Coordinates of all heavy atoms in Angstrom, one line a residue:
G13 N 10.0 3.1 -1.0 CA 9.0 3.8 -0.3 C 8.3 2.9 0.8 O 8.0 3.4 1.9
I14 N 8.0 1.7 0.4 CA 7.3 0.8 1.3 C 8.2 0.5 2.5 O 7.7 0.6 3.6 CB 6.9 -0.4 0.6 CG1 5.8 -0.2 -0.4 CG2 6.6 -1.6 1.5 CD1 5.4 -1.3 -1.4
L15 N 9.5 0.3 2.3 CA 10.3 0.0 3.4 C 10.5 1.2 4.3 O 10.4 1.0 5.5 CB 11.7 -0.5 2.9 CG 11.8 -1.8 2.2 CD1 13.2 -1.9 1.5 CD2 11.5 -2.9 3.1
T16 N 10.6 2.4 3.8 CA 10.7 3.6 4.6 C 9.4 3.8 5.3 O 9.3 4.2 6.5 CB 11.1 4.8 3.7 OG1 12.3 4.4 3.0 CG2 11.2 6.0 4.5
A17 N 8.3 3.7 4.6 CA 7.0 4.0 5.2 C 6.6 3.1 6.3 O 5.9 3.4 7.2 CB 5.9 4.0 4.1
T18 N 7.0 1.8 6.2 CA 6.7 0.8 7.3 C 7.7 0.8 8.4 O 7.4 0.1 9.4 CB 6.5 -0.5 6.7 OG1 7.8 -0.9 6.0 CG2 5.4 -0.7 5.7
A19 N 8.7 1.6 8.4 CA 9.8 1.5 9.4 C 9.2 1.9 10.8 O 9.7 1.4 11.8 CB 10.9 2.4 9.0
M20 N 8.3 2.8 10.9 CA 7.8 3.3 12.2 C 6.7 2.3 12.8 O 6.4 2.4 14.0 CB 7.1 4.7 12.0 CG 6.7 5.3 13.3 SD 8.0 5.7 14.4 CE 8.5 7.3 13.9
I21 N 6.1 1.5 11.9 CA 5.0 0.5 12.4 C 5.4 -0.3 13.6 O 4.6 -0.3 14.6 CB 4.5 -0.3 11.2 CG1 3.8 0.6 10.2 CG2 3.5 -1.4 11.8 CD1 3.3 -0.1 9.0
P22 N 6.5 -0.9 13.7 CA 6.8 -1.7 14.9 C 6.9 -0.8 16.2 O 6.4 -1.3 17.3 CB 8.2 -2.3 14.7 CG 8.4 -2.3 13.1 CD 7.6 -1.2 12.7
Q23 N 7.4 0.4 16.0 CA 7.3 1.3 17.2 C 5.9 1.7 17.6 O 5.6 1.8 18.8 CB 8.2 2.5 16.9 CG 8.4 3.5 18.1 CD 9.2 2.8 19.2 OE1 10.3 2.4 19.0 NE2 8.6 2.8 20.4
V24 N 5.1 2.0 16.6 CA 3.7 2.4 16.9 C 3.0 1.2 17.7 O 2.3 1.3 18.7 CB 2.9 2.7 15.6 CG1 1.5 2.9 15.9 CG2 3.4 4.0 15.1
V25 N 3.2 0.0 17.1 CA 2.5 -1.3 17.8 C 3.0 -1.4 19.1 O 2.2 -1.6 20.1 CB 2.8 -2.5 16.9 CG1 2.4 -3.8 17.6 CG2 2.1 -2.4 15.5
K26 N 4.3 -1.4 19.4 CA 4.9 -1.5 20.7 C 4.3 -0.4 21.7 O 4.0 -0.7 22.8 CB 6.4 -1.3 20.6 CG 7.1 -1.5 22.0 CD 8.6 -1.4 21.8 CE 9.3 -1.7 23.0 NZ 9.9 -0.7 23.8
T27 N 4.2 0.8 21.1 CA 3.8 2.0 22.0 C 2.3 1.7 22.4 O 1.9 1.9 23.5 CB 3.9 3.3 21.2 OG1 5.3 3.5 20.9 CG2 3.4 4.4 22.1
I28 N 1.5 1.2 21.4 CA 0.1 1.0 21.7 C 0.0 -0.2 22.7 O -0.8 -0.2 23.6 CB -0.7 0.7 20.4 CG1 -0.8 2.0 19.6 CG2 -2.0 0.2 20.7 CD1 -1.4 1.8 18.2
K29 N 0.7 -1.3 22.5 CA 0.7 -2.4 23.4 C 1.0 -2.1 24.8 O 0.4 -2.5 25.8 CB 1.6 -3.6 22.9 CG 1.0 -4.4 21.9 CD 2.0 -5.6 21.5 CE 1.4 -6.5 20.5 NZ 2.4 -7.6 20.2
E30 N 2.1 -1.3 24.9 CA 2.6 -1.0 26.3 C 1.9 0.2 26.9 O 2.1 0.5 28.1 CB 4.2 -0.7 26.2 CG 4.9 -2.0 25.8 CD 6.4 -1.8 25.7 OE1 6.8 -0.7 26.0 OE2 7.1 -2.8 25.5
K31 N 1.2 1.0 26.0 CA 0.6 2.3 26.4 C 1.7 3.2 27.2 O 1.4 3.8 28.1 CB -0.6 2.0 27.3 CG -1.7 1.3 26.7 CD -2.9 1.2 27.5 CE -4.1 0.5 26.9 NZ -4.0 -0.2 25.6
N32 N 2.8 3.2 26.5 CA 3.9 4.0 27.1 C 4.6 4.6 25.8 O 5.2 4.0 25.0 CB 4.9 3.2 27.8 CG 6.0 3.9 28.5 OD1 6.1 5.1 28.2 ND2 6.8 3.2 29.3
A33 N 4.7 6.0 25.8 CA 5.4 6.8 24.9 C 6.4 7.7 25.4 O 6.8 8.7 24.8 CB 4.4 7.5 24.0
E34 N 6.8 7.5 26.7 CA 7.8 8.3 27.4 C 9.1 8.6 26.6 O 9.7 9.7 26.6 CB 8.0 7.9 28.7 CG 6.8 8.0 29.6 CD 6.3 9.4 29.8 OE1 7.0 10.3 30.0 OE2 5.0 9.4 29.8
N35 N 9.5 7.6 25.9 CA 10.8 7.6 25.2 C 10.8 8.1 23.8 O 11.8 8.1 23.1 CB 11.6 6.4 25.3 CG 11.9 5.9 26.8 OD1 12.3 6.8 27.6 ND2 11.9 4.7 27.1
I36 N 9.6 8.5 23.4 CA 9.4 9.0 22.0 C 9.6 10.5 21.9 O 9.0 11.2 22.8 CB 8.0 8.7 21.4 CG1 7.7 7.1 21.6 CG2 7.8 9.1 20.1 CD1 8.7 6.3 20.8
S37 N 10.4 10.9 21.0 CA 10.7 12.3 20.9 C 9.5 12.9 20.0 O 9.5 12.6 18.9 CB 12.0 12.6 20.3 OG 12.1 14.0 19.9
P38 N 8.7 13.9 20.6 CA 7.6 14.5 19.8 C 8.3 15.4 18.6 O 7.8 15.5 17.6 CB 6.9 15.3 20.7 CG 7.8 15.6 22.0 CD 8.7 14.3 21.9
F39 N 9.5 15.9 18.9 CA 10.2 16.9 17.9 C 10.5 15.9 16.8 O 10.3 16.4 15.6 CB 11.4 17.5 18.6 CG 12.1 18.5 17.7 CD1 11.4 19.6 17.2 CD2 13.4 18.2 17.3 CE1 12.1 20.5 16.4 CE2 14.0 19.1 16.5 CZ 13.4 20.3 16.1
M40 N 11.1 14.8 16.9 CA 11.4 14.0 15.8 C 10.2 13.5 15.1 O 10.2 13.6 13.8 CB 12.1 12.6 16.4 CG 12.4 11.6 15.3 SD 12.5 9.9 15.9 CE 10.8 9.5 16.4
V41 N 9.1 13.2 15.7 CA 7.9 12.7 15.0 C 7.3 13.9 14.2 O 6.9 13.7 13.0 CB 6.9 12.1 16.0 CG1 5.6 11.8 15.3 CG2 7.4 11.0 16.7
I42 N 7.3 15.1 14.8 CA 6.8 16.3 14.1 C 7.6 16.5 12.8 O 7.1 16.9 11.7 CB 6.7 17.5 15.0 CG1 5.6 17.3 16.0 CG2 6.5 18.8 14.2 CD1 5.6 18.3 17.2
I43 N 9.0 16.4 12.9 CA 9.9 16.6 11.8 C 9.6 15.6 10.7 O 9.5 15.9 9.5 CB 11.3 16.6 12.2 CG1 11.7 17.8 13.0 CG2 12.2 16.4 10.9 CD1 13.1 17.8 13.6
L44 N 9.4 14.4 11.1 CA 9.0 13.3 10.1 C 7.7 13.6 9.5 O 7.5 13.3 8.3 CB 8.9 11.9 10.9 CG 10.3 11.3 11.2 CD1 10.1 10.1 12.1 CD2 11.0 10.8 10.0
I45 N 6.7 14.0 10.2 CA 5.4 14.4 9.6 C 5.6 15.5 8.6 O 5.0 15.5 7.5 CB 4.4 14.8 10.7 CG1 4.0 13.6 11.5 CG2 3.1 15.4 10.1 CD1 3.2 13.9 12.9
I46 N 6.3 16.6 8.9 CA 6.5 17.6 8.0 C 7.2 17.1 6.8 O 7.0 17.5 5.7 CB 7.2 18.8 8.7 CG1 6.3 19.4 9.8 CG2 7.7 19.8 7.7 CD1 7.0 20.4 10.7
G47 N 8.3 16.3 7.0 CA 9.0 15.8 5.9 C 8.2 14.9 4.9 O 8.3 15.1 3.7
T48 N 7.4 14.0 5.5 CA 6.7 13.1 4.7 C 5.5 13.8 4.0 O 5.1 13.5 2.8 CB 6.1 11.9 5.4 OG1 5.3 12.4 6.6 CG2 7.2 11.0 5.9
A49 N 4.9 14.8 4.7 CA 3.9 15.7 4.0 C 4.5 16.5 2.9 O 3.9 16.6 1.7 CB 3.3 16.6 5.0
T50 N 5.7 17.0 3.0 CA 6.4 17.7 2.0 C 6.7 16.8 0.8 O 6.6 17.2 -0.4 CB 7.7 18.4 2.5 OG1 7.3 19.2 3.6 CG2 8.3 19.3 1.5
W51 N 7.2 15.6 1.1 CA 7.5 14.6 0.0 C 6.2 14.3 -0.8 O 6.2 14.1 -1.9 CB 8.0 13.3 0.6 CG 9.6 13.3 0.6 CD1 10.3 13.4 1.7 CD2 10.4 13.3 -0.5 NE1 11.6 13.4 1.4 CE2 11.7 13.3 0.0 CE3 10.3 13.2 -1.9 CZ2 12.9 13.3 -0.8 CZ3 11.4 13.2 -2.7 CH2 12.7 13.2 -2.1
T52 N 5.0 14.1 0.0 CA 3.7 13.9 -0.6 C 3.3 14.9 -1.6 O 3.0 14.7 -2.7 CB 2.7 13.6 0.5 OG1 3.0 12.5 1.3 CG2 1.3 13.3 -0.2
Y53 N 3.6 16.2 -1.2 CA 3.3 17.4 -2.1 C 4.2 17.3 -3.2 O 3.7 17.5 -4.4 CB 3.4 18.7 -1.2 CG 3.2 19.9 -2.0 CD1 1.9 20.2 -2.5 CD2 4.2 20.8 -2.3 CE1 1.6 21.2 -3.3 CE2 3.9 21.9 -3.1 CZ 2.6 22.1 -3.5 OH 2.4 23.2 -4.3
Y54 N 5.5 17.1 -3.0 CA 6.5 17.0 -4.1 C 6.0 16.0 -5.1 O 6.0 16.1 -6.3 CB 7.8 16.7 -3.5 CG 8.9 16.4 -4.6 CD1 9.4 17.5 -5.4 CD2 9.3 15.1 -4.9 CE1 10.4 17.2 -6.3 CE2 10.3 14.9 -5.8 CZ 10.8 16.0 -6.5 OH 11.8 15.7 -7.5
G55 N 5.6 14.8 -4.6 CA 5.1 13.7 -5.5 C 3.9 14.1 -6.3 O 3.8 13.8 -7.5
T56 N 3.0 14.9 -5.7 CA 1.9 15.4 -6.4 C 2.3 16.4 -7.5 O 1.8 16.3 -8.6 CB 0.9 16.2 -5.4 OG1 0.6 15.2 -4.4 CG2 -0.3 16.6 -6.1
L57 N 3.3 17.2 -7.3 CA 3.8 18.1 -8.2 C 4.4 17.4 -9.4 O 4.3 17.8 -10.5 CB 4.8 19.1 -7.6 CG 4.3 20.1 -6.5 CD1 5.4 20.9 -6.0 CD2 3.3 21.1 -7.2
K58 N 5.1 16.3 -9.2 CA 5.8 15.5 -10.2 C 4.8 14.4 -10.7 O 5.3 13.8 -11.7 CB 6.9 14.8 -9.6 CG 8.0 15.7 -9.0 CD 9.3 15.9 -9.6 CE 9.9 14.8 -10.3 NZ 10.8 15.1 -11.3
D59 N 3.6 14.3 -10.2 CA 2.6 13.3 -10.6 C 3.3 11.9 -10.5 O 3.2 11.1 -11.4 CB 2.1 13.5 -12.0 CG 0.9 12.7 -12.3 OD1 0.1 12.4 -11.3 OD2 0.7 12.3 -13.5
D60 N 4.0 11.6 -9.4 CA 4.8 10.4 -9.2 C 4.0 9.6 -8.1 O 4.2 9.8 -6.9 CB 6.2 10.8 -8.7 CG 7.1 9.6 -8.7 OD1 6.7 8.4 -8.3 OD2 8.2 9.7 -9.0
M61 N 3.2 8.6 -8.5 CA 2.4 7.8 -7.6 C 3.2 7.1 -6.5 O 2.8 7.1 -5.4 CB 1.6 6.8 -8.4 CG 0.4 6.3 -7.7 SD -0.7 7.5 -6.9 CE -1.2 8.5 -8.4
P62 N 4.3 6.4 -6.8 CA 5.1 5.8 -5.7 C 5.5 6.8 -4.6 O 5.4 6.5 -3.4 CB 6.4 5.2 -6.3 CG 6.0 5.0 -7.8 CD 5.0 6.1 -8.1
I63 N 5.9 8.0 -4.9 CA 6.2 9.0 -3.9 C 5.0 9.4 -3.2 O 5.0 9.5 -2.0 CB 6.9 10.2 -4.6 CG1 8.3 9.8 -5.1 CG2 7.0 11.4 -3.6 CD1 9.0 11.0 -5.9
I64 N 3.9 9.7 -3.8 CA 2.6 10.1 -3.3 C 2.1 9.0 -2.2 O 1.9 9.3 -1.1 CB 1.6 10.4 -4.3 CG1 2.0 11.6 -5.2 CG2 0.2 10.7 -3.6 CD1 1.1 11.7 -6.5
V65 N 2.0 7.9 -2.7 CA 1.3 6.8 -1.9 C 2.2 6.5 -0.7 O 1.7 6.4 0.5 CB 1.0 5.6 -2.8 CG1 0.6 4.4 -1.9 CG2 0.0 5.9 -3.8
T66 N 3.4 6.2 -0.9 CA 4.3 5.8 0.2 C 4.4 6.8 1.2 O 4.5 6.5 2.6 CB 5.6 5.2 -0.3 OG1 6.3 6.2 -1.0 CG2 5.5 3.9 -1.1
N67 N 4.6 8.0 0.8 CA 4.8 9.1 1.8 C 3.5 9.6 2.4 O 3.6 9.9 3.6 CB 5.5 10.3 1.1 CG 7.0 10.0 1.0 OD1 7.7 10.2 1.9 ND2 7.4 9.7 -0.3
A68 N 2.4 9.5 1.8 CA 1.1 9.7 2.4 C 0.9 8.7 3.5 O 0.5 9.0 4.6 CB 0.0 9.7 1.4

Side-chain angles (χ1 to χ4, degrees):
I14 288 167
L15 291 170
T16 303
T18 59
M20 184 68 85
I21 291 175
Q23 186 65 54
V24 170
V25 170
K26 180 178 189 256
T27 301
I28 292 170
K29 277 185 176 180
E30 295 178 0
K31 294 184 179 14
N32 181 355
E34 293 300 317
N35 293 323
I36 304 298
S37 166
F39 186 63
M40 174 204 65
V41 177
I42 290 167
I43 289 171
L44 285 169
I45 291 168
I46 293 168
T48 55
T50 304
W51 271 110
T52 302
Y53 180 64
Y54 173 75
T56 303
L57 293 174
K58 303 247 328 155
D59 196 28
D60 189 322
M61 199 52 61
I63 292 175
I64 296 167
V65 171
T66 58
N67 282 285

